Amino acid sequence: MANKREKKKVVLASGVFDLLHLGHVKFLEEAKKAGGKNAELIVIIARDSTVEENKGRKPIMPENQRRALVESLKVVDEAVLGFEKFDLGDVIERVKPDVIALGYDQADMEKGVQEYVDKHKLTVKVVRIGKFEEDELDSSSKIRKKIVEKFSR
Amino acid sequence: MANKREKKKVVLASGVFDLLHLGHVKFLEEAKKAGGKNAELIVIIARDSTVEENKGRKPIMPENQRRALVESLKVVDEAVLGFEKFDLGDVIERVKPDVIALGYDQADMEKGVQEYVDKHKLTVKVVRIGKFEEDELDSSSKIRKKIVEKFSR
């Protein structure tokens, strides 16, 4: 086992990445680390329509900008827009990840992903990345809140 | 001249980079291009105190986060916080840039930089990068405005 040749692992992460902040970058860095040395990190960016369906409102930044901004990060090898009609099986089929990394706020997704992986007997490791508590402005909703407090009458 | 050996050029850009967006990334990419092939891009991040002095309010994102986020971009080689008491001469002395790139909203600075360069007979090229018009959300103030409109009562 110790001498097993190390193959480059593909790590899949996903999210909305509205109002990009350091918490996003740290999540992506930890996600990539979960794939070991030389891992490749592919990030699926949630479509505007998917976010609207789930949260009842579109993100502040449109999907093309969110995608391009995430792909401009050093840690990211490729950022792609999700399917309009989100389907986990399709995503796994297309990306063929060795590792699927989920954020602290993706608990619901973790259950679904693990069930899918078990059901299809895939050799995909599902990892959960913790939240980074070191700063107050580590979530898009907190940033929005601060802006509204400061600038609205 | 055509056979002159190409030395790696250092490009200096600066800004607040509050609420990071694609306009910032495109500005930095154009700035780096102005240094030719293999240029190194060093970005000075304005201190919270400097922004407060100039604009009458602190940025949304604190300086350490703004710096770390800018440095996490592929295009950026190094991002450093500015001096508490901004001094152009100190910055040029420390970074020793071949090119100083200024954004569309840095007209005031351009005059000061060019005067400094002329006065001290420096071989520093001062370039002005245009604005990218292709999207409505290409400035931090527009992003703030949209958030306030959507989320405040």
Side-chain angles (χ1 to χ4, degrees), chain B residues 25-60:
Chain B
V25 176
K26 287 178 179 172
F27 162 60
L28 294 171
E29 285 172 352
E30 288 302 312
K32 194 168 193 170
K33 271 186 204 157
K37 245 172 100 174
N38 301 321
E40 188 182 357
L41 177 62
I42 298 180
V43 184
I44 307 276
I45 308 295
R47 304 297 291 246
D48 289 344
S49 57
T50 310
V51 177
E52 192 170 20
E53 212 169 279
N54 295 338
K55 301 193 182 181
R57 55 161 189 80
K58 282 190 178 154
I60 302 294

Side-chain angles (χ1 to χ4, degrees), chain A residues 36-47:
Chain A
K37 248 172 96 173
N38 302 321
E40 188 182 357
L41 177 63
I42 298 179
V43 184
I44 308 277
I45 309 294
R47 304 297 291 246

Side-chain angles (χ1 to χ4, degrees), chain B residues 102-103 106-115 126-128:
Chain B
L102 296 160
Q106 296 180 316
D108 294 353
M109 226 173 144
E110 187 181 13
K111 199 166 163 278
V113 169
Q114 194 60 64
E115 279 174 7
V126 181
V127 298
R128 189 78 179 282

Side-chain angles (χ1 to χ4, degrees), chain B residues 6-11 28-41 75 77 98-99 125 127:
Chain B
E6 250 192 279
K7 205 184 136 275
K8 185 167 142 177
K9 297 249 169 72
V10 174
V11 178
L28 294 171
E29 285 172 352
E30 288 302 312
K32 194 168 193 170
K33 271 186 204 157
K37 245 172 100 174
N38 301 321
E40 188 182 357
L41 177 62
V75 70
D77 295 284
D98 299 289
V99 177
K125 196 170 129 191
V127 298

Side-chain angles (χ1 to χ4, degrees), chain A residues 6-148:
Chain A
E6 252 192 278
K7 205 182 136 274
K8 185 165 141 178
K9 298 248 168 71
V10 174
V11 178
L12 172 67
S14 65
V16 182
F17 302 97
D18 199 18
L19 305 178
L20 197 74
H21 55 75
L22 212 51
H24 291 136
V25 176
K26 287 178 178 172
F27 161 61
L28 293 171
E29 285 173 351
E30 289 301 312
K32 193 166 192 170
K33 272 186 203 156
K37 248 172 96 173
N38 302 321
E40 188 182 357
L41 177 63
I42 298 179
V43 184
I44 308 277
I45 309 294
R47 304 297 291 246
D48 289 344
S49 57
T50 310
V51 178
E52 191 170 24
E53 211 169 282
N54 294 338
K55 302 194 181 182
R57 53 160 192 81
K58 282 192 178 154
I60 302 294
M61 305 295 279
E63 58 192 21
N64 289 325
Q65 280 207 45
R66 290 184 286 114
R67 192 208 66 76
L69 196 53
V70 167
E71 197 168 80
S72 71
L73 295 170
K74 284 174 182 144
V75 69
V76 175
D77 295 285
E78 201 182 341
V80 292
L81 289 177
F83 296 103
E84 285 280 358
K85 188 88 202 113
F86 179 78
D87 185 294
L88 185 62
D90 285 350
V91 172
I92 290 177
E93 183 57 38
R94 194 164 63 164
V95 177
K96 300 195 193 328
D98 300 288
V99 178
I100 297 179
L102 296 160
Y104 74 94
D105 55 352
Q106 296 180 316
D108 293 354
M109 225 172 145
E110 187 182 15
K111 198 167 164 278
V113 169
Q114 194 61 63
E115 280 175 7
Y116 185 93
V117 166
D118 292 345
K119 188 179 161 194
H120 294 81
K121 297 187 171 49
L122 302 175
T123 54
V124 177
K125 195 169 128 192
V126 181
V127 298
R128 189 80 179 281
I129 309 294
K131 194 173 191 307
F132 302 93
E133 297 289 357
E134 55 193 272
D135 209 289
E136 45 164 346
L137 287 173
D138 54 359
S139 87
S140 300
S141 58
K142 286 186 202 162
I143 296 168
R144 273 203 328 262
K145 195 161 170 281
K146 181 167 174 186
I147 293 171
V148 171

